[in-house]
Amino acid sequence: MAMIQKWPARLPVPDVDYSYSLKSPFMRTTLNSGRARQRRISNNSPTEVQVTWKIKWADMADFRYFVHEIVGQQSGWGFFLTPLAFEEHKKMVKARFINSDQPYEAVNDSNVFWVVSAKLETYDASLITYDEFIKRNPEFS
């Protein structure tokens, strides 16, 4: 089994745009008669996030190598660990690029930076723990 690679420390951390969507952990099956059946297919729901990086021209080669050679060589565009900030919480999450045909889009910004955008599928992105939730919402204990 391949080791999950960490985001290179030399590269900037991705910024999460102000939208993300939670994928359902349930699968719905329509039956010929009666109500549709719904069943849980995963205990950990992936979250899709739109991210951007502002990468210096000198660092773009490192970004491309990491994405295409390190992450891209894993079967099915493998996972990597990256720090992400959701609201006020920042944590390491397991992520992968959603679109393997075009994993990111890079735009030249004034010959100093590249602005790179991508959509990532992330796991382990729970914002708070059960204990933190109960502390904030004691009526659920």
Side-chain angles (χ1 to χ4, degrees), residues 15-20 49-52 85 117-118:
D15 292 323
V16 176
D17 292 350
Y18 289 103
S19 66
Y20 55 88
V49 294
Q50 185 70 35
V51 296
T52 56
S117 60

Side-chain angles (χ1 to χ4, degrees), residues 93-106:
V93 298
K94 186 167 74 168
R96 68 178 168 184
F97 291 93
I98 289 179
N99 186 352
S100 59
D101 292 333
Q102 183 183 357
Y104 60 87
E105 184 176 311

Side-chain angles (χ1 to χ4, degrees), residues 37-118:
R37 181 174 297 168
Q38 191 164 303
R39 61 194 181 283
R40 188 174 193 98
I41 57 173
S42 172
N43 287 332
N44 190 354
S45 301
T47 302
E48 288 183 4
V49 294
Q50 185 70 35
V51 296
T52 56
W53 294 269
K54 194 166 186 177
I55 300 175
K56 293 178 186 173
W57 271 63
D59 295 337
M60 190 60 177
D62 292 342
F63 174 85
R64 289 174 50 94
Y65 189 87
F66 179 77
V67 171
H68 293 282
E69 301 301 327
I70 305 295
V71 174
Q73 292 301 321
Q74 299 174 29
S75 64
W77 278 82
F79 289 100
F80 57 97
L81 293 174
T82 185
L84 286 182
F86 292 92
E87 296 158 5
E88 75 272 10
H89 301 279
K90 183 177 180 182
K91 67 181 284 192
M92 291 293 281
V93 298
K94 186 167 74 168
R96 68 178 168 184
F97 291 93
I98 289 179
N99 186 352
S100 59
D101 292 333
Q102 183 183 357
Y104 60 87
E105 184 176 311
V107 177
N108 176 353
D109 180 21
S110 73
N111 291 336
V112 177
F113 290 100
W114 285 95
V115 176
V116 180
S117 60

